Amino acid sequence: VQLQASGGGLVQAGGSLRLSCAASGRTFTGYTLGWFRQAPGKEREFVAGIWYSSGGKYYTDSVKDRFTISREKADNMVYLQMNSLKPEDTAVYYCAADINRLTSVSPRYWGQGTQVTVSS
């Protein structure tokens, strides 16, 4: 399984970015895919997840009204649209996948990270 994340960058507070994750190597039916992030000096934390088959979504509270996760099944792509970005959103963002809900496990599959930096 390969999860290829892209789309990070430098943006001013209040701005937007869209992260992309290209998933390959298996059928993801029944899996949940999503995003984690790790800020400097902090533990990795869950951000958002989406059930690949049903499209059901779930978020951590701090991003619920600002970020939107989506998936394009035809292309095996997962996206994270991030709006109203804040300096505290600065982190390396990782794409991940597991058969279980991402908030309850350490995901089986990880992609490489993409850096998001939000300036104040």
Side-chain angles (χ1 to χ4, degrees), residues 6-8 16-20 35 68 70 77-83 85:
S6 61
S16 299
L17 280 175
R18 188 175 84 152
L19 304 184
S20 300
W35 297 90
T68 302
S70 62
M77 295 292 295
V78 177
Y79 304 99
L80 185 68
Q81 178 66 44
M82 306 186 294
N83 298 328
L85 282 161

Side-chain angles (χ1 to χ4, degrees), residues 8-9 17 19 36-40 42-45 47 82 86-94 113-118:
L17 280 175
L19 304 184
F36 286 71
R37 66 185 180 186
Q38 187 167 20
K42 295 188 177 181
E43 293 187 355
R44 192 174 298 186
E45 66 170 350
V47 177
M82 306 186 294
K86 304 176 181 180
E88 51 263 44
D89 294 318
T90 295
V92 178
Y93 284 70
Y94 297 89
T114 185
Q115 176 72 47
V116 172
T117 303
V118 185

Side-chain angles (χ1 to χ4, degrees), residues 1-62:
V1 172
Q2 287 193 329
L3 303 171
Q4 184 75 29
S6 61
L10 173 64
V11 65
Q12 289 188 331
S16 299
L17 280 175
R18 188 175 84 152
L19 304 184
S20 300
C21 176
S24 62
R26 66 159 299 125
T27 300
F28 290 96
T29 302
Y31 272 66
T32 182
L33 283 82
W35 297 90
F36 286 71
R37 66 185 180 186
Q38 187 167 20
K42 295 188 177 181
E43 293 187 355
R44 192 174 298 186
E45 66 170 350
F46 167 77
V47 177
I50 187 166
W51 291 99
Y52 201 73
S53 298
S54 68
K57 307 171 186 181
Y58 50 104
Y59 302 89
T60 192
D61 286 346
S62 63

Side-chain angles (χ1 to χ4, degrees), residues 95-110:
C95 184
D98 199 275
I99 193 116
N100 298 295
R101 185 178 175 96
L102 293 178
T103 52
S104 63
V105 297
S106 178
R108 179 175 181 181
Y109 302 113
W110 291 96

